[in-house]
Amino acid sequence: MLKMNCGLSRKIGQPDYGSRGAQVHLEVELSAELLKDPEKLRRQIRGCFGVVRQAVDAELGVAGPEDGEPARLPEAPASRPPADPPSTPKQVRALHAFARRAGADLAAELRRLGVTDAAALSRRQASGLIDGLKERAGGR
């Protein structure tokens, strides 16, 4: 028998420098036979992380299981992308540019969102921060 542990912690920024967070950790036992089929083992691992990700997203109100379907460990990897993919390189460049124009402390803004690097933001977080910096920069 194999034991697999997976977990996820996530924070999302809130107005007035606040944040909300959620975390889920899951431990499951898998058949040792999976060691003979690495691809099947990888599917189980991805499936576990998919369930954990859905639970955290649902708790934070950013996504939930589709059509009210209960979360479960899928045999195959999820076919849809994560609810909020990571920021793009173009967004990261824009964040730095608008922070300079607005005279803002980008490091402080990132800390408020619970990250230390702009590349660690989600696409949605980066977009919101870009909009705020753009506004502070006077739309330039």
Side-chain angles (χ1 to χ4, degrees):
M1 199 51 73
L2 299 173
K3 267 192 185 174
M4 179 177 63
N5 293 291
C6 65
L8 177 68
S9 295
R10 182 172 176 201
K11 273 190 161 182
I12 57 174
Q14 298 289 293
D16 299 321
Y17 301 100
S19 66
R20 290 186 302 132
Q23 61 181 341
V24 172
H25 297 276
L26 184 64
E27 181 177 296
V28 294
E29 289 185 356
L30 303 172
S31 168
E33 290 294 310
L34 286 172
L35 291 174
K36 295 176 183 174
D37 187 350
E39 183 52 39
K40 191 170 183 180
L41 177 59
R42 280 191 287 278
R43 283 195 308 266
Q44 288 290 321
I45 292 168
R46 283 192 302 265
C48 182
F49 275 106
V51 169
V52 169
R53 185 180 308 111
Q54 285 178 349
V56 168
D57 288 348
E59 186 64 30
L60 293 173
V62 295
E66 295 176 352
D67 302 320
E69 181 182 322
R72 59 188 168 85
L73 283 174
E75 262 308 297
S79 60
R80 64 183 177 86
D84 195 6
S87 61
T88 65
K90 187 174 180 178
Q91 284 179 310
V92 172
R93 288 191 302 273
L95 282 168
H96 287 281
F98 283 114
R100 275 193 305 276
R101 289 182 193 157
D105 181 358
L106 183 57
E109 295 290 332
L110 294 172
R111 279 192 305 275
R112 180 178 65 82
L113 294 171
V115 298
T116 57
D117 182 10
L121 293 172
S122 70
R123 225 172 262 180
R124 187 177 301 137
Q125 287 174 313
S127 180
L129 186 52
I130 288 168
D131 290 344
L133 291 169
K134 213 186 277 190
E135 188 176 301
R136 286 166 52 188
R140 297 180 269 166

